Structure formats: structure tokens, C-alpha cells
Amino acid sequence: MVNFTIIRRDIRRLGGTSLLRLYNTLTKQVEEIQPIEPGKVRMYTCGPTVYRDAHIGNLRTYMMADWIRRSLLAQGVDVYHVKNITDVGHMRQELVETGGDKMILAALAEGKTIGEIAEYYADKFYRDELRVNILPAQVFPWATQHIPEMIEIVEKLLAAGFAYESGGNVYYDVPNFSGYGKLSRNFGGDLLEGVRVEADPLKRDPRDFTLWKAAEPGRDVKWESPWGDGFPGWHIECSAMASKYLGERFDIHTGGVDNIFPHHEDEIAQSEGAFGDVHVNYWVHGQHLLADGAKMAKSSGNVFLIDDLVDRGFDPLSFRYLCLTVRYRHRMNFTFGSLRASERALTCWRDRIWEWKGLPRLDELPPETEEWRQRFWDTANDDLNLPGAVSLTWNMIRSDLPGQAKLDLMRDFDRLFGLDLDKVPADYEVPEAVLTSLEQRSALREQAEYPTADTLRSEVLSQGYVVADIGPTTRIRPKTALEQQAERWPAVSSSREIGSLLEEEPRYDYSFILNAYNYVEDVRRCVTSMLEFSRDRSAEIIVVDNGSTDGTAEFLEGFQEEHDNVRVFHCDHVIGDAAGKNIGLKQSLGRYIIIMDASTEIVGDLLTPVTEELSDGTVGIFGPYGLSTDDMRHFHEEVEKGDADAIQAYCMAFERGAVQKVGLMNEGFRFYRNLDIDYSFQFKEQGYRILADSTLPLVRHEHRQWEELDDNQREEMSRKNFGRFLRRWGNRPDLLITAGGRAFDTGFHH
Ligand code: AMP
Ligand code: ZN
């Protein structure tokens, strides 16, 4: 049997450059991109919402569009690229329908005007795109500057019978558009099943969506329209701006998979309803980025920005390299470990370029050079098989092609990769003194004085340079920020990397544990008080640096050096509250564990009462700040002395031996809130009592981790953790002190 596809591809390969093929969400097939106008592709990308930062997941999606663009450019096709900026005109459909407006809330929370917020985040977005080498779109249209265009399309839709007005709102009449559902295959029958949406009585069909919404009394952000003052729905902005800059029908439209429905489905209904033509030929959607295995969400504390990577010493282009290693149609799990591997790989490529740039010119490159080139572009153009292109590049680097040919190929490949490889200089700027040391070293080596030569080399290394002996020549470059940082101290990316010592016999009476995240002065105050009030005791202090970036890590290194009983564990990013505390728990070697928060300070003899209370085997957790509840929903800080339902994380003491029984903390809690309650319930479940005594010698200072959040963030992050707690313990009222027949010692009831 003859395999037709293979023959066809072989012919292509002989025939020259292949053309880009992409998976089209509309046809569910991989298709060759055939521009409407030969030699020119018009492309639209759903851009950022500028009331918040674009995170690295968003950037992954924009990078996908960038690679499409670069691949077309490399085959000689011109690309006209439009990326909209969604400022206040945009609201998620559910927000439009409920009248909520995050942008306005955020502006108020930050004490800024809406325009200021949009400018601020748009500027950051432009800058971040540049930092990962995304070619700027030719046009970045802003939604609020296109309200008349949006109104015009709504009028067209009304005239064509695809929309109706009701009470100052205009809705799209979905049942009237026969093509509805062709992109997402979401035809609407079971659309709303399982989703509880407050039915809008003005809508004729539950699938109908808002094109224009009447302004409610008191709304500031609104525009005049034929239907009264109001504001546009979200989807209409993309129909308006795409048609204005790219025409009624254009080639490629990109976005993330979450845009397929309803955003792009509705965009098709609007544009095709209004213009009567096919809206877009190729719909391309990028899969999502996860972080540490979970969907990136602020409320999970795993949203990362380019700034976060830079703060940790990474080159933003390492993230670009990392994105090259996973196909755009696959979800990608971001970890700092994989980012580090990417930075190492990228540094290696740069080192090779640097090395090849030092070679003499070759007049002619060997014929295999063209074979490598052809295979590269064939691979990359096969539905953007960038991981394939990267691995081919590695094979090429390892091949026996001369360095000059490799350099030529790398320059060509980087038209697609966009890693600035050609910016690697042939010679780095190095101070005179360092060069002199190197020359001395070469001389010593010639005289076979290797030990002295090696000493000089180490000196140069410690001055922040990498020395490479390539054949007869020696080359030198400055260390990257990450190389410098990696030398400072080891860091873990996950609590799993730290083993448990819990099986071992205790070596101290007490283990203090602090999970530190920035606020170096608070950390200093807290650990100093731990030292001060355990002077004559057998105690150790374990501090987990949970991805600090403000100098806390440096402070802790010094602190550890000065004190034998201090151990510090660094995390290369914020691994979350429970995971950080679990590192401390697993490493603790004291009979009693005292977990503290950096906002708390010990001001007297804490250890005597801790020992006394915990020596009564029925007490699981003891601490100053007790909580009680009647219903698992409201927790009161009313327990001053006696049994409680939970002890707050500012200071909780328990026996190390109990940890084996109750287990470690639930690492689903990345944010600290409710974790202490959850852990207290783990103790209760094992039959332990929780005991509070507000007279313990502690002082609570400002809790900055909480203070720095705005109301929205507090709400969102707390809600998630509270849900986590309730799902686990909501049906265990038997664990409450009110149920156990133990009376409250003190306190009042709300
Ligand atoms: P938004 O600002 O939420 O409108 O998102 C901007 C772009 O990023 C859209 O194309 C989204 O589909 C895409 N996007 C959102 N979340 C992620 C994620 N976690 N990973 C990759 N792309 C995303
Ligand atoms: Zn859009």
C-alpha cells in the first residue's frame, strides 16, 4: 500500500521551503495557511485586559501568535498583526450581565482613575511583551476608542434581524443565526445545564448574549447610543476592531482555548451576521499554562509575572525557551525547575554562538548545511512543532558540521525562535585586571605550572566570570545573574525535595519554625526573639525562606552562619504556606514544635508554659490565640483560656511526636488563611484537645502579608481556602468544643 501523505511530504521537501500548517479550531484539521491576499497574512490576536497584569500564561498565548508570525515572515509572507487592548469597554459577559465591573472596582481599590489604571497596565504589558521578544503588533487598538464602530455593528445586526432591543439593552438573537456553534461545537441545547445563571427576563433565549447594556443609575462609565446611555458587551469589541483594521474577512485569529466559547463563537455570530461573509479563515487557540500543576489563579497564589522571574535572577528569554519545548496545543506545566533547565539550555546555546563567532570565516559551507535548514523549517512548519525544532537544533549542534555552518544555521533558526542569539557578542566586555589575570594564567599553563594557573582561574571565577578553554584559545564571559545566584545557596522548588527527619530521635527540646516570606525586618524581629527566649534551653530554629526577594534570604544566610542552632531552607519561588511549614515540620528535631509567624514576637518565657500544657497528653495544640465556632463558618477570637476549636498560626505549639499521628499540613493551602484551623482539626480528629491561653508572653505586630492585600484579594483568597476547609470538615460538627460537652471558660457569643 502506498502512503500518499508521506510521498507528498517527501516531494515537498525536495521542492524547497515548506509552508506553515496549523490546526484550525473551525475545521478541526491541520491546514496549510493560504492567505486571502497572496504574500500577506492579516492576523488578529485577542489582547490583554488592562485592569491587571498579564501573567506568564497570557504571554505564552501571545508567544504562540508571535511564532506563527515569525514563521510566516521567514517564508517571505508579510504579516499585518492587530492586538486589541481591552480597557474599560470590555467586561466579561457574566459581568456585563450582572452589571459588575472589575476595572472600576480595581481603580477604586487602588485610588486611581480608570484611565490611569489602563495606561499603567498597558505599559507594563508592552514592556513584558518586549522582554520575551514578542514582535509588537502593528496596531494595538483600545476598546474605548472604538465605541462608534461597535454601535455601528449593533445597528447592522438589528437591521438584519440578528439582534433585538429590550429595555435599553440590545441582545444577539442566537436562534436566528444558523451558524451558531460551528467553532466550539457548543450548539446551545445543553449550554446552560449545570450552570446556574440568573435568568435575564429581557432575553428571549437563554443563549442570547448582550451586545449593548443600558447603564444603571449612578454609573460613570457610559456612552450615548441609539438605545440610551450604556456600554458595550465584551465580544462586540473584537468584531469592531478586527473589521476596522483587517477587513470583514481576514486570515488568522488567535487566542487561548478559554476564548473559544463564548468569546469567539459570539464574535463569529456578530461579524458574520453583520457583514454576511466568512469572518476568519483560520482560528488558532493555545492551550493553557499551569503552574506547579494547578491552574494559574491569584487565589491559588501561583500567578507569576515576568517580574517574578527577573526578581529570581532569570532571563525572561529563558521562559521563551521553555515555551518552545511544549507544543501550543498541549497544556504546559510551569515549574521553576523546568525554567532553570531552560535557562541552562539557553546559556549553553549562547556559549556555543560565542565560541563559533571566534572562528575564522569559511568561504563555503558544506552541503549538509542546507539539509539541516530544510529539515528545521519542515519541522517547525508542521503545526508549529517547536519542540521538534528545538531537538533538531540540539542534534545539529552536536553534529560534526563546522562551527561556521552551525552559526549560520542558528542565525536562521533564531528568526523563528526569537531568542536574540545573534546578540551574543564575539567578545564580552571584561575589566582590564581580569584580562591580565587570564594572560598570566595562559603563560603559567604554557610553563605547565598548573596549580598556580588554577588558582588564578578560581580567582577570575569568583570575580564573576566564566572561563572556557576552547582548543588553543581561552575565552571569558561574565556569569549570568542566575549563575551568580545559584552559587549563593541551594534552593528547592517543592517541599518534596526535603526529606523527613520525623522518624529520628529528638535532638533538642524545642524546634521553632518560621515560614518567612519577605518583610525582612519582621523576620529579624521574630527570630531574634526566638533566640532571646530560648537562651538557656536546648532549642533549634528552622526558617523556611518561602521565595523571598527583598533581602530576607541574604539576612537569613548571615543569621544561620552566626548561630549553630539555626537552619535555613531556601525555596526558589513561593511554594505556598503549607508546603513551607511542612519543610519545617519534616526537618524539626525538637521534642516540642513552636510554629510562629513573622508578625509575632516572643517577649517572655514561652517555653515553660508550653512544656507544662503539652506534657498533659490530651492537649494537641497549645497557643495564645484561640478560636471557637458554633457552625464552622464563623470563627471567633473569644477563647482566652481553655478549650478552643483552633489555634491561630501566629503561634502554635505541639509535640513533634503528634505530627506522625496527625500528618503534615494540607499543601492545597498556598495562602495561609484557614490553614491553622484546618491543621487544628487534624489534631481534633485524632482525639486531641486544642488549648488556648491569651496570657502567654507574645506580642502581635502588623500582619503585613494581610495588610498588603486589597479587599478583593482578601475576599478571593480567603474564600478559596475556606471552601477547602469546609469540604473537609463541614460535616464534622462532632469535633467542635460545643459538641464535646466541654464548656467555654470565658468569652462572649455573637
Ligand atoms: P485575558 O486577559 O484573561 O483576556 O487573557 C488574555 C489571553 O491569555 C487570552 O487569549 C486568554 O485566552 C489567554 N490566557 C488566559 N489564561 C491563560 C493561561 N493560564 N495560559 C495561557 N493563556 C491564557
Ligand atoms: Zn477578543
Side-chain angles (χ1 to χ4, degrees):
M1 205 177 85
V2 180
N3 187 324
F4 178 74
T5 340
I6 289 181
I7 290 177
R8 188 162 172 266
R9 283 187 60 188
D10 283 349
I11 291 169
R12 280 201 165 274
R13 189 169 296 164
L14 296 175
T17 323
S18 56
L19 296 176
L20 175 63
R21 297 179 310 130
L22 291 172
Y23 180 82
N24 186 350
T25 311
L26 189 64
T27 59
K28 309 276 175 286
Q29 280 173 19
V30 176
E31 295 174 345
E32 196 165 90
I33 302 298
Q34 303 277 7
I36 296 169
E37 188 183 324
K40 181 169 180 177
V41 158
R42 284 170 292 157
M43 177 159 86
Y44 187 91
T45 295
C46 282
T49 308
V50 288
Y51 56 68
R52 50 169 150 77
D53 284 303
H55 55 59
I56 57 174
N58 301 136
L59 286 167
R60 181 190 185 207
T61 298
Y62 302 129
M63 252 183 250
M64 171 193 76
D66 187 61
W67 278 313
I68 292 174
R69 179 166 162 192
R70 285 172 183 268
S71 138
L72 290 165
L73 288 174
Q75 69 189 45
V77 175
D78 206 15
V79 180
Y80 191 66
H81 192 187
V82 176
K83 188 177 294 175
N84 66 301
I85 301 287
T86 296
D87 53 348
V88 72
H90 151 95
M91 271 149 270
R92 294 292 180 205
Q93 206 60 14
E94 66 276 9
L95 285 168
V96 174
E97 280 158 15
T98 56
D101 187 333
K102 271 201 195 175
M103 179 112 175
I104 295 170
L105 294 177
L108 293 178
E110 292 183 33
K112 288 183 189 157
T113 69
I114 291 144
E116 279 167 355
I117 295 247
E119 291 282 347
Y120 171 79
Y121 286 111
D123 283 346
K124 279 181 84 177
F125 170 72
Y126 297 141
R127 189 197 55 176
D128 278 353
E129 278 214 320
L130 289 178
R131 289 203 288 186
V132 290
N133 268 355
I134 292 176
L135 300 173
Q138 277 86 352
V139 189
F140 285 103
W142 285 53
T144 50
Q145 291 164 14
H146 295 80
I147 305 287
E149 288 87 342
M150 297 184 213
I151 291 177
E152 201 180 307
I153 296 181
V154 176
E155 286 182 313
K156 279 203 173 105
L157 289 170
L158 280 164
F162 287 114
Y164 58 92
E165 190 203 338
S166 190
N169 296 347
V170 183
Y171 297 98
Y172 195 96
D173 192 352
V174 169
N176 248 0
F177 180 68
S178 62
Y180 199 78
K182 66 181 173 181
L183 182 72
S184 62
R185 303 287 151 103
N186 208 336
F187 295 101
D190 56 348
L191 211 68
L192 298 172
E193 236 168 78
V195 189
R196 277 206 312 133
V197 178
E198 196 95 356
D200 178 348
L202 300 177
K203 275 188 192 177
R204 293 185 193 155
D205 187 288
R207 291 173 299 166
D208 294 351
F209 55 91
T210 311
L211 296 167
W212 187 265
K213 173 101 175 160
E216 69 281 7
R219 164 178 279 272
D220 294 332
V221 183
K222 59 187 176 188
W223 291 267
E224 286 175 12
S225 83
W227 319 285
D229 285 359
F231 53 96
W234 169 31
H235 318 305
I236 196 70
E237 72 173 74
C238 288
S239 285
M241 292 187 273
S243 61
K244 172 162 181 177
Y245 296 98
L246 297 172
E248 292 174 2
R249 178 175 188 168
F250 58 93
D251 301 294
I252 302 178
H253 196 310
T254 73
V257 285
D258 58 302
N259 287 155
I260 298 174
F261 187 87
H263 185 50
H264 290 162
E265 192 68 64
D266 290 355
E267 189 180 320
I268 291 176
Q270 293 165 164
S271 296
E272 300 195 352
F275 307 126
D277 192 3
V278 172
H279 176 41
V280 168
N281 287 349
Y282 308 99
W283 285 92
V284 187
H285 292 101
Q287 257 297 356
H288 277 175
L289 183 83
L290 311 178
D292 289 342
K295 186 179 163 216
M296 258 203 302
K298 233 181 179 156
S299 48
S300 305
N302 65 347
V303 168
F304 297 106
L305 312 183
I306 292 296
D307 276 336
D308 295 317
L309 312 189
V310 171
D311 284 348
R312 294 184 163 77
F314 289 95
D315 181 334
L317 292 178
S318 301
F319 177 63
R320 189 170 170 106
Y321 181 98
L322 178 59
C323 291
L324 283 167
T325 65
V326 179
R327 285 188 89 149
Y328 77 92
R329 280 205 276 148
H330 291 170
R331 281 198 296 199
M332 168 174 161
N333 184 27
F334 172 83
T335 64
F336 277 85
S338 57
L339 184 65
R340 216 172 306 116
S342 294
E343 174 131 347
R344 275 197 298 269
L346 179 57
T347 305
C348 176
W349 281 10
R350 289 178 172 153
D351 281 351
R352 301 309 301 271
I353 301 259
W354 170 51
E355 179 189 326
W356 299 326
K357 281 192 173 178
L359 296 173
R361 257 188 64 86
L362 266 193
D363 286 334
E364 213 171 314
L365 301 178
E368 305 93 87
T369 314
E370 288 323 299
E371 285 166 28
W372 282 105
R373 197 187 313 281
Q374 189 60 46
R375 277 174 54 206
F376 176 86
W377 289 106
D378 281 350
T379 306
N381 284 334
D382 175 16
D383 195 19
L384 274 190
N385 180 3
L386 300 172
V390 167
S391 83
L392 183 138
T393 303
W394 280 106
N395 290 338
M396 185 277 287
I397 291 173
R398 292 188 201 107
S399 75
D400 49 17
L401 275 183
Q404 292 91 333
K406 291 178 182 174
L407 178 61
D408 183 78
L409 287 170
M410 282 302 255
R411 284 182 168 137
D412 189 34
F413 299 174
D414 202 40
R415 289 193 294 153
L416 177 65
F417 291 149
L419 294 169
D420 273 351
L421 294 176
D422 207 26
K423 285 200 182 151
V424 175
D427 284 300
Y428 287 90
E429 271 191 40
V430 176
E432 207 51 50
V434 174
L435 285 179
T436 312
S437 303
L438 263 197
E439 276 161 23
Q440 285 172 0
R441 170 177 174 261
S442 299
L444 287 166
R445 277 160 62 96
E446 269 165 36
Q447 294 153 27
E449 302 224 19
Y450 295 112
T452 328
D454 284 350
T455 313
L456 272 179
R457 181 171 194 267
S458 311
E459 251 170 50
V460 170
L461 286 180
S462 66
Q463 284 167 307
Y465 294 88
V466 174
V467 177
D469 296 306
I470 300 159
T473 56
T474 295
R475 316 206 63 198
I476 180 162
R477 68 160 169 83
K479 286 180 187 162
T480 64
L482 193 68
E483 282 167 343
Q484 285 176 28
Q485 233 173 52
E487 286 167 5
R488 294 187 307 178
W489 47 71
V492 297
S493 297
S494 144
S495 66
R496 285 190 301 274
E497 293 169 42
I498 300 288
S500 173
L501 305 178
L502 288 172
E503 299 280 337
E504 292 186 17
E505 286 300 310
R507 280 181 228 162
Y508 301 91
D509 290 335
Y510 307 97
S511 292
F512 287 102
I513 298 176
L514 174 63
N515 177 51
Y517 171 62
N518 285 348
Y519 311 116
V520 59
E521 287 316 316
D522 294 12
V523 170
R524 186 198 308 271
R525 183 184 58 219
C526 180
V527 294
T528 307
S529 79
M530 288 172 173
L531 268 187
E532 164 91 18
F533 293 99
S534 64
R535 245 179 238 299
D536 47 351
R537 310 283 191 133
S538 140
E540 64 163 350
I541 298 175
I542 299 176
V543 189
V544 179
D545 156 26
N546 209 320
S548 299
T549 50
D550 71 340
T552 300
E554 288 78 358
F555 160 71
L556 289 173
E557 278 298 300
F559 187 70
Q560 171 170 246
E561 234 157 69
E562 284 163 29
H563 304 283
D564 292 338
N565 61 334
V566 174
R567 276 184 292 153
V568 175
F569 295 89
H570 296 283
C571 306
D572 60 10
H573 68 294
V574 182
I575 65 169
D577 210 74
K581 285 172 177 160
N582 279 346
I583 289 179
L585 290 179
K586 287 196 282 186
Q587 284 287 310
S588 64
L589 287 164
R591 183 176 305 278
Y592 299 105
I593 292 175
I594 301 114
I595 297 194
M596 289 187 54
D597 182 83
S599 63
T600 319
E601 181 184 7
I602 307 172
V603 292
D605 179 17
L606 173 70
L607 298 179
T608 302
V610 160
T611 319
E612 273 169 18
E613 294 296 353
L614 292 178
S615 59
D616 166 1
T618 66
V619 176
I621 305 185
F622 177 57
Y625 311 113
L627 295 173
S628 74
T629 182
D630 302 326
D631 56 4
M632 302 267 186
R633 278 161 180 79
H634 305 89
F635 285 84
H636 313 295
E637 290 199 14
E638 63 193 17
V639 184
E640 288 182 359
K641 209 171 167 81
D643 283 289
D645 285 315
I647 293 293
Q648 298 186 57
Y650 299 106
C651 176
M652 46 163 57
F654 42 89
E655 270 194 291
R656 176 169 171 270
V659 176
Q660 250 133 320
K661 212 160 145 192
V662 304
L664 294 171
M665 296 190 177
N666 173 0
E667 298 197 1
F669 287 87
R670 295 183 61 106
F671 183 54
Y672 75 92
R673 221 150 181 245
N674 282 38
L675 170 62
D676 42 8
I677 305 183
D678 191 79
Y679 201 49
S680 297
F681 274 67
Q682 283 178 224
F683 274 78
K684 277 172 172 273
E685 193 188 30
Q686 294 299 324
Y688 287 109
R689 291 165 58 207
I690 306 292
L691 200 66
D693 179 356
S694 63
T695 65
L696 288 175
L698 286 143
V699 174
R700 257 163 82 175
H701 300 276
E702 194 188 345
H703 190 216
R704 292 181 218 275
Q705 229 183 318
W706 179 251
E707 299 303 325
E708 73 168 8
L709 303 175
D710 67 43
D711 289 346
N712 289 334
Q713 291 170 323
R714 288 179 184 175
E715 227 282 303
E716 204 182 334
M717 299 174 85
S718 303
R719 184 164 18 88
K720 216 165 196 177
N721 278 3
F722 184 60
R724 211 182 303 278
F725 165 77
L726 261 193
R727 278 194 300 280
R728 187 160 174 206
W729 303 108
N731 61 353
R732 295 298 305 275
D734 58 298
L735 296 177
L736 299 180
I737 46 176
T738 44
R742 285 190 200 104
F744 285 117
D745 287 8
T746 55
F748 52 94
H749 296 268
H750 296 280

